[in-house]
Amino acid sequence: LKCTESNSSWLFHLPFSMVACMPSGEGLHDPQGAATWRDVAEALAHLESKQSAVRKELFTLRSVACKRLEQARGALELRDEELASVRAAKAAAAVEFTRQQQKLAWRLADSTHEARRAKRSALASKARLCQERSELRDGQVELRSAKSALDAQNQENARLRARMAELEKRLDQGAAEAAAAQSLVRKQAALLDEAAAALQPL
């Protein structure tokens, strides 16, 4: 960049504070002033190159930042999707857990009802068994009593049979004695008849 009278429009691109600090007209035609302005122009060119590099770096950084922002947005969207999936899975798990709890509660209620009914049935069976045992004991007592009575009756029957046998023996003896007595009476009667017949002629 050359600083001449015909190429002094670059002054309009300088900051107002720099333009206000410049000499009003002397430095533009002074060789020493031209060298000074040349240094300023070189410094400005250096600053512009730095500004361009900074702009490029800023553009690069902005691009990187945009990419990272997009990546962050994608990551956030992915995280939101994952969170939504996790929430949906959690809700489904909660629903399934509630359903399983209801099933377990129903099974527990059924099991409790069945257990109570089985307990009542067992108690009834136990009561019937105790009653049957009591009836069996009563039956055994009655059977022993009946057996004792039967034994006593058998003994009495045996005594009666023995008495009847004795009486029959006595009756047989009495009948024999009666028959002998009748025979004796008949013999005596015959003897008396014979004696009477013998005494009649006399």
Side-chain angles (χ1 to χ4, degrees):
L1 179 61
K2 295 181 180 181
C3 182
T4 58
E5 292 181 358
S6 61
N7 194 12
S8 62
S9 60
W10 59 273
L11 293 173
F12 293 99
H13 298 283
L14 294 176
F16 178 75
S17 58
M18 292 180 66
V19 176
C21 294
M22 291 181 181
S24 58
E26 296 176 357
L28 295 176
H29 303 286
D30 188 3
Q32 186 177 0
T36 302
W37 286 113
R38 191 177 300 110
D39 294 335
V40 171
E42 290 176 355
L44 288 175
H46 182 66
L47 288 174
E48 286 179 356
S49 63
K50 283 187 176 181
Q51 185 178 8
S52 178
V54 169
R55 285 178 181 176
K56 289 181 180 180
E57 185 176 359
L58 288 175
F59 179 77
T60 303
L61 291 174
R62 187 179 291 112
S63 299
V64 172
C66 290
K67 289 181 180 180
R68 290 183 179 179
L69 181 61
E70 292 296 329
Q71 291 177 356
R73 288 177 180 175
L76 288 175
E77 291 178 357
L78 182 61
R79 188 196 64 179
D80 292 338
E81 291 178 358
E82 291 177 353
L83 287 175
S85 300
V86 169
R87 291 192 186 98
K90 185 177 179 181
V95 171
E96 182 65 20
F97 180 73
T98 303
R99 189 171 64 85
Q100 293 295 331
Q101 278 189 333
Q102 290 178 352
K103 283 186 177 181
L104 289 175
W106 292 338
R107 290 180 181 176
L108 180 60
D110 292 339
S111 299
T112 304
H113 180 69
E114 291 294 332
R116 289 177 180 175
R117 186 171 63 182
K119 185 177 180 181
R120 288 195 297 268
S121 178
L123 291 175
S125 299
K126 185 177 180 180
R128 286 195 300 270
L129 181 61
C130 292
Q131 184 177 0
E132 289 176 358
R133 286 180 178 176
S134 178
E135 292 177 355
L136 180 60
R137 285 194 296 268
D138 294 339
Q140 288 176 351
V141 171
E142 292 178 358
L143 182 61
R144 285 194 294 269
S145 299
K147 186 178 180 181
S148 298
L150 182 60
D151 292 338
Q153 185 67 35
N154 289 332
Q155 291 177 0
E156 182 66 20
N157 290 334
R159 188 179 65 80
L160 290 175
R161 283 194 296 269
R163 182 63 177 168
M164 287 178 65
E166 184 180 357
L167 291 174
E168 287 177 356
K169 184 178 180 180
R170 288 182 181 182
L171 286 174
D172 292 338
Q173 289 178 356
E177 289 176 358
Q182 288 179 0
S183 176
L184 181 61
V185 168
R186 282 193 297 269
K187 288 180 180 179
Q188 289 177 356
L191 290 174
L192 289 174
D193 289 339
E194 290 178 358
L199 291 175
Q200 282 179 1
L202 298 176

